[in-house]
Amino acid sequence: MKSRPAAVEITSIFQARFPGEPRAFRAPGRVNIIGEHTDNYDGYVFPIAVSMATTAAAAPRRDRTIRVWSENMQELATLPLDRLERREHWSDYVAGVAAMLEAEGIRLPGADVCIVSDVPIGGGLSSSAALEVSTAMAFLSLADHSLDGVALAKLGRRAENEFVGMNCGIMDQFVAVHAERGKGLLLDCRTLDYELVPLPAEEAAIVVCNTMVKHELGASEYNARRADTLAGTDLLKAIYPEVRALRDVSYEMFEAAASQLPEPIRQRCRHVITENQRVLNGITALKEGRLEVFGDLMNASHESLRSDYEVSCEELDIMVEAARGLPGVLGARMTGGGFGGCTVNLVRPGQVPVFQEEIARRYHKATGLKPDVHITEPMDGAREIT
Ligand code: GLA
């Protein structure tokens, strides 16, 4: 029922700019509950889709031009399908998706496209994957083609890796496609096997706190961490020939080889190896209803991201610290790529109103910034809205 006003709204925004009857596709942002900076190393992640989402509405054109209007940016971009190139612009994600679809042999018609999003940009909730997945679905519908969920997620990632130049893993696009209401998605980033694990809302609320600091350093630092981690993987492969990715290295193996890894490579690898274990332990705890244990693992994840992977920042640390002292807080950590963006907090439902007020007050006192505090439940993945 909820998608009806959204469809009417996006259609009227579309028709204020373009002729024709569009079809509209909505893809959610995500918040990762645990398993951060593991997806590039064949590891485990446990994200959910959030209620914030990006909608792409599109209708075909007769030429080979994509005209895309961003309601958020209040800007029109014109992308010629026969000369798509990166321009360091928001429309690169759209162009990248079109380029990758064509590279897959799916010939696209020109299109008028309208994008509306309430996923904060640069807020660590993966506005980029939401944009990639929603536009990919819109383009596919115009080309009268379909891709299965895994292929769709892979295509979005490829657009980001090969066109935008951000060497992200598969987590964001995968959860944007496959998420289910009320559940977290445990993904094995090697096999792409996944399990939907219930996150009982009556026992813990998921509260997302936006530091309001944008991760502008994000892409370059992200790629740099990845390069360090892959260099460490190569050193470990030389010691343990059976290793294909860090996911194959146990903590015992790591410890035995640690003296042969220079810093900061050692720290980077330690984060990934311990984080994978935290995900698996966390899922066991969750299934046994031991939410305190799960929360402790979230806390440990933040510590590891802060000191070993070094992707936190002052504001994220302040937000996490502020949460930890509050009643009913099971766990708090930064979420997403880092260097700004959001924290994710697991809070006993009865304490949520106090948490909301107090965290905003504490964070504002320490930084002068007013955070957005958002209570979310796990939501469904991408679909057409009618
Ligand atoms: C970004 C990337 C993901 C993942 C996270 C960190 O969101 O897009 O693939 O690596 O950072 O967990």
Side-chain angles (χ1 to χ4, degrees), residues 30 36-37 39 168-169 171-172 222 336-337:
R30 65 96 186 91
E36 211 67 82
H37 289 284
D39 59 352
C168 66
M171 167 170 73
D172 304 342
Y222 185 97

Side-chain angles (χ1 to χ4, degrees), residues 77-97:
T78 301
L79 313 170
L81 273 169
D82 295 312
R83 270 175 299 112
L84 292 171
E85 45 195 42
R86 180 167 77 170
R87 300 186 305 166
E88 313 285 338
H89 188 252
W90 59 263
S91 62
D92 287 351
Y93 295 95
V94 179
V97 164

